[in-house]
Amino acid sequence: MGLIFRKRVRLSKGLWLNLSRSGASVSARVGRTTVNSRGRATTKLGKGLYWRSGK
């Protein structure tokens, strides 16, 4: 099992800077959907249930 490093810094309401070993990205939440700068979108379907699309 490998060690994973991730850090999420809140820039403003609904906007985050994500830091990981593979680099940095920015994500923004609009309603139930979160879109990041790498082209991935995540939609919350219900409690603990998400749909992820993109790369």
Side-chain angles (χ1 to χ4, degrees):
M1 193 172 281
L3 183 63
I4 297 173
F5 168 75
R6 284 192 295 191
K7 177 69 178 172
R8 189 175 180 187
V9 179
R10 186 175 179 177
L11 300 175
S12 66
K13 186 176 181 180
L15 188 67
W16 291 273
L17 174 64
N18 307 300
L19 304 170
S20 70
R21 197 180 82 186
S22 62
S25 68
V26 176
S27 60
R29 186 179 64 215
V30 180
R32 298 171 67 145
T33 302
T34 302
V35 180
N36 73 13
S37 60
R38 295 182 182 182
R40 178 167 282 178
T42 304
T43 303
K44 185 175 182 180
L45 301 175
K47 201 170 192 177
L49 189 61
Y50 296 87
W51 179 267
R52 187 163 61 183
S53 61
K55 295 179 182 178

